[in-house]
Amino acid sequence: MDHKESMEDYLEAILIINTRQGYVRNIDISRQLEFSKPSVTIALKKLRDENLIYISADNLITLTEKGLEIAKETYTRHLSITKILTYLGVSEETAEKDACRIEHVISQETFNAIAEHAQKMLTKV
């Protein structure tokens, strides 16, 4: 997994966890991504150094404006790709796993074209 993909996975996880429970801690990310707590701590330090997250004095994690933008974009891609794949007949579990990989490597141009085509197809049904 490259740095960009890993970064996007962490930011997306923070967004999802915060939406679900209203706060995010290191252990929540560790559970969500199934990574060790020490690995998460190292990654969070890098995200903080890149001004993508803020860690409060009581160790609660929030996304900066820049981090939130990346997280929302990644999550939108993830949801859209999952929906398209399941519409095509891919099982929910496989679509979820594949979307998690595709969301990081697909260009914005290709994603836009696929999403536009899928929207046209879905409105014809």
Side-chain angles (χ1 to χ4, degrees):
M1 182 181 304
D2 69 16
H3 174 70
K4 177 182 179 276
E5 182 177 342
S6 177
M7 174 194 71
E8 289 174 348
D9 282 341
Y10 276 95
L11 296 174
E12 182 180 23
I14 293 167
L15 175 67
I16 292 167
I17 295 164
N18 190 55
T19 301
R20 182 177 61 229
Q21 66 188 28
Y23 62 90
V24 182
R25 300 165 303 167
N26 183 314
I27 190 69
D28 301 318
I29 298 167
S30 179
R31 288 180 184 144
Q32 174 87 13
L33 296 176
E34 299 179 352
F35 294 159
S36 72
K37 199 167 179 241
S39 295
V40 172
T41 300
I42 291 167
L44 291 176
K45 182 184 180 325
K46 290 178 184 175
L47 292 173
R48 187 185 63 211
D49 291 346
E50 292 182 33
N51 196 34
L52 297 171
I53 63 167
Y54 173 76
I55 303 173
S56 70
D58 53 353
N59 291 317
L60 295 180
I61 301 152
T62 55
L63 296 165
T64 63
E65 191 174 319
K66 182 179 173 186
L68 181 60
E69 182 181 319
I70 294 168
K72 282 182 175 179
E73 181 181 314
T74 303
Y75 192 51
T76 298
R77 283 179 176 216
H78 181 97
L79 293 175
S80 298
I81 293 167
T82 301
K83 186 175 183 177
I84 291 165
L85 293 175
T86 55
Y87 175 78
L88 294 173
V90 177
S91 73
E92 184 73 33
E93 182 181 341
T94 301
E96 188 71 32
K97 287 178 184 176
D98 288 348
C100 199
R101 290 190 292 267
I102 294 168
E103 70 192 28
H104 302 293
V105 296
I106 192 170
S107 72
Q108 190 62 45
E109 178 183 359
T110 301
F111 174 75
N112 290 344
I114 291 170
E116 185 178 318
H117 182 73
Q119 187 62 39
K120 287 177 187 173
M121 295 307 295
L122 291 172
T123 55
K124 288 181 180 178
V125 174

